[in-house]
Amino acid sequence: AAAFFVSVAVVKQRLKLASLSLRLLDTYAEDGLTLDQLMAFTVSGDHERQEQVLDRLAQTYDKQPHVIRRMLTEGAVRASDKRTRFIGIDAYETAGGTVLRDLFQGDDGGWLQDVTLVDRMVAEKLAAEADAIRSEGWKWIEVAPDFAYGHTYGLRQLRGEPAPLADEEEAAREAAQAEYDRLSEEHTDADELPEGVDARLGELEAMLEAFETRPLAFDPAEVARAGAFVSIAQDGKLRVERGFVRPEDEVPVEEDHDPSIETDGDTHTASAPRQEAVVTDARAEPEEDDGLAPISDRLLTELTTHRTLGLRHALGEQPDSAFLAAVHALTLKAFYAYGSDTCLELDLKSVSFNAQAPGLKDSVSAEAIRVRHESWAKTLPKEPGTLWDTLSGWDLDSRAALFAHVVSLSVNAVHEAWNRRPRAFAHADRLAQAVGLDMAAAGWRPTVDTFLGRVTKARILQAVTEAKGERAAERIAHLKKGDMAREAEALLADSGWLPEALRTQPSDTAGEETAEKDGETAMADSEDLADTEEPEAISSSIAAE
């Protein structure tokens, strides 16, 4: 590099080209490959694999460089995959794994070629982490790189308490908080923080967050019948979900008994005389000389019926109290194992999903719901008996936020072939309009796995036409379905296109105006594309990854 006044990267690129299979170099010398195609082959250093792809290329219509890269990396694990981030590329290479890299284009860290080694290293590291979690005394541990969304459905989660800080830890936390407050106050008016101050604030934030997110402490008796799930989070970090009790491990709930009717052998309490085999009128009142005997069940039912009507009438005239009662009842259902601490006959159903869409558990929405639910769980009292007093002390905004979260858990707009619910779906559309739902903004993307590889070629072309215009669709119309789906994924990336089932329809008036504008825009874009772009530029743009 120094001798020829070029960068080190250029030298590495030339050396990589020179290391290709001699058959590829001969083909390039005979003008059988372009330089861009030859550069694409450098992704893999395996000469046999390179020549296999060269043979496949001769039978393929599309010979674009990105197609070559895709063929060479088929089955490999991307460096951005959460499994890769979990074990670390350095550890993988130390274990003898090969990393495919592209020196001529951005490769997002490359591809890990030895998938078997990746899976083995992931399993071994997860097993080691699970052993450490098992030593905490849990009855069972389930380990997997990933669990399906809703895998904790039907299980009761224990309510732990943050482990108390030692005196030294408490002093360290207070010192960090004091320093953070001082630095923030000193630079309140600064347009830009000095580099050293900014770095220190980041360190202090990390320290304070570690104090706030310290592990929870659980009742040892509860730990002995509960378990934990050990998996990998989307960012590649270890995810441990502790404290879930299976129904078969629950302690039987004892029914409440009225002490006035309990017996001790053949001896009966004075307030509950032995029942003789004599049929009496349930409506009959006790005799005067019976003393303070319990009132009959029939009379008690009648009295409480009057009280229930009185409560209904009074609650119906006090919206604030009714809202508090509803929040209380639904929160019991959502966060506590036994939601019987309420007289309201309100129910909350949160269905599990039988069909697991690809990436559902790691989606933006799923992660946001999980974090929000855990945040509320930490805020609510541990015992359901104190929930009413806690909610009574909250302001209206806090109650409303909790109410929104709890009610959101009951939404079910899932299409099921055996369960026709047209009115429910119509209401889901209205609800989506009310909340301004945008599934593209929520993180959904049309990929080969989520949509394009699972529909017909006609629907793939329809999607590309809607998002990019007819000319873009025509460019991929000749491809086989698999190749068409992959090309369409690249074309639709970040386009915001959604299949009809995911679209939020605007109101009638707004919809007409939007449709008219979209039609005009599409026509203008089509004319601009035809007038300004050369065919080669169009092809390059469409084929780009």
Side-chain angles (χ1 to χ4, degrees):
F4 290 93
F5 303 99
V6 295
S7 67
V8 174
V10 170
V11 176
K12 289 183 177 180
Q13 289 173 343
R14 298 299 177 267
L15 290 173
K16 195 71 172 177
L17 284 170
S19 68
L20 288 171
S21 164
L22 291 178
R23 182 180 164 193
L24 265 69
L25 295 175
D26 291 341
T27 304
Y28 173 66
E30 298 169 358
D31 294 329
L33 290 171
T34 66
L35 180 58
D36 287 339
Q37 290 172 324
L38 193 68
M39 291 189 296
F41 276 99
T42 64
V43 169
S44 173
D46 186 344
H47 287 185
E48 182 178 355
R49 178 66 174 158
Q50 292 171 358
E51 293 174 3
Q52 289 175 354
V53 172
L54 181 64
D55 293 336
R56 287 178 58 186
L57 205 64
Q59 305 170 4
T60 304
Y61 178 83
D62 193 353
K63 297 179 174 60
Q64 296 289 338
H66 73 274
V67 175
I68 298 173
R69 291 185 181 90
R70 186 174 66 239
M71 290 180 178
L72 289 167
T73 58
E74 280 178 345
V77 180
R78 292 202 68 96
S80 57
D81 189 280
K82 66 180 183 180
R83 293 172 295 171
T84 303
R85 286 188 270 181
F86 179 65
I87 60 176
I89 290 183
D90 292 341
Y92 167 79
E93 291 182 314
T94 301
T98 303
V99 179
L100 307 180
R101 300 188 186 276
D102 192 340
L103 298 181
F104 296 92
Q105 284 192 3
D107 58 6
D108 197 19
W111 301 264
L112 280 63
Q113 189 175 24
D114 194 340
V115 181
T116 302
L117 177 61
V118 171
D119 291 339
R120 178 169 61 82
M121 293 182 66
V122 167
E124 291 175 352
K125 187 172 181 180
L126 280 174
E129 297 286 359
D131 288 340
I133 305 301
R134 190 176 287 107
S135 65
E136 298 175 5
W138 301 105
K139 180 178 181 180
W140 52 267
I141 301 287
E142 287 197 15
V143 183
D146 196 14
F147 289 105
Y149 181 80
H151 62 286
T152 61
Y153 184 79
L155 307 182
R156 177 172 67 91
Q157 186 173 14
L158 302 181
R159 306 290 298 279
E161 297 289 345
L165 294 175
D167 294 339
E168 299 81 5
E169 293 175 324
E170 183 63 32
R173 189 193 68 80
E174 292 178 354
Q177 185 66 58
E179 184 180 357
Y180 182 85
D181 294 339
R182 178 178 58 79
L183 290 175
S184 299
E185 185 176 354
E186 290 176 356
H187 298 85
T188 301
D189 300 328
D191 295 333
E192 185 175 349
L193 293 175
E195 184 176 349
V197 174
D198 189 32
R200 181 55 181 167
L201 286 174
E203 294 174 359
L204 292 171
E205 286 178 353
M207 292 173 59
L208 293 172
E209 184 179 0
F211 284 119
E212 294 297 327
T213 58
R214 62 191 185 279
L216 299 176
F218 299 93
D219 182 353
E222 294 273 26
V223 170
R225 59 171 173 269
F229 296 93
V230 180
S231 60
I232 306 174
Q234 182 62 20
D235 59 1
K237 296 180 181 178
L238 183 70
R239 173 184 286 167
V240 182
E241 299 168 281
R242 293 178 174 86
F244 288 91
V245 183
R246 292 167 172 163
E248 59 268 24
D249 296 327
E250 292 282 9
V251 176
V253 179
E254 296 182 1
E255 296 182 0
D256 294 333
H257 295 283
D258 188 346
S260 63
I261 61 175
E262 290 183 353
T263 62
D264 183 11
D266 292 334
T267 304
H268 296 262
T269 61
S271 59
R274 180 191 300 271
Q275 291 185 351
E276 302 295 340
V278 178
V279 179
T280 60
D281 184 3
R283 300 176 62 95
E285 301 299 335
E287 298 295 337
E288 289 294 336
D289 57 357
D290 284 348
L292 294 177
I295 62 175
S296 66
D297 289 338
R298 176 59 180 266
L299 178 57
L300 187 60
T301 299
E302 291 180 359
L303 294 175
T304 53
T305 300
H306 281 286
R307 186 168 185 260
T308 298
L309 282 178
L311 276 173
R312 288 183 179 182
H313 173 61
L315 193 63
E317 293 187 336
Q318 299 183 34
D320 291 344
S321 296
F323 180 60
L324 172 59
V327 175
H328 174 257
L330 296 180
T331 302
L332 284 170
K333 299 288 186 180
F335 287 92
Y336 297 90
Y338 310 104
S340 58
D341 293 46
T342 177
C343 64
L344 270 63
E345 295 290 344
L346 296 179
D347 200 2
L348 183 80
K349 289 184 178 180
S350 184
V351 299
S352 60
F353 301 134
N354 295 325
Q356 290 289 329
L360 184 64
K361 188 172 185 291
D362 292 325
S363 65
V364 175
S365 297
E367 181 63 15
I369 293 172
R370 183 189 68 81
V371 171
R372 188 172 65 208
H373 193 82
E374 290 183 354
S375 177
W376 280 118
K378 294 176 182 178
T379 305
L380 296 171
K382 188 174 182 180
E383 297 298 329
T386 60
L387 178 62
W388 179 270
D389 293 335
T390 299
L391 295 179
S392 298
W394 285 9
D395 57 57
L396 185 58
D397 290 342
S398 298
R399 292 182 200 166
L402 175 60
F403 182 75
H405 170 69
V406 172
V407 170
S408 71
L409 299 178
S410 68
V411 173
N412 180 12
V414 177
H415 167 78
E416 295 168 317
W418 54 269
N419 189 12
R420 303 296 181 183
R421 302 185 302 146
R423 293 184 179 179
F425 296 138
H427 178 254
D429 293 337
R430 295 291 299 273
L431 188 59
Q433 294 173 9
V435 300
L437 178 64
D438 184 349
M439 288 302 299
W444 191 90
R445 296 290 182 271
T447 66
V448 174
D449 293 332
T450 61
F451 184 77
L452 300 168
R454 304 164 66 182
V455 296
T456 62
K457 293 176 64 175
R459 286 200 175 274
I460 297 175
L461 294 175
Q462 180 188 37
V464 174
T465 301
E466 291 177 356
K468 295 294 183 178
E470 292 185 4
R471 299 202 50 187
E474 291 173 357
R475 294 290 179 181
I476 64 172
H478 64 280
L479 299 177
K480 294 181 179 179
K481 180 181 174 180
D483 294 333
M484 180 187 291
R486 285 185 284 269
E487 295 299 328
E489 178 179 338
L491 284 168
L492 297 176
D494 300 323
S495 67
W497 180 87
L498 296 169
E500 188 174 355
L502 295 184
R503 297 174 188 172
T504 298
Q505 300 297 335
S507 59
D508 296 340
T509 304
E512 294 175 1
E513 294 177 356
T514 302
E516 184 177 351
K517 291 180 180 179
D518 289 346
E520 295 174 355
T521 301
M523 185 178 297
D525 290 345
S526 179
E527 293 174 354
D528 292 342
L529 183 66
D531 294 340
T532 60
E533 293 196 43
E534 295 296 329
E536 293 79 9
I538 297 173
S539 177
S540 176
S541 173
I542 292 176
E545 288 188 78

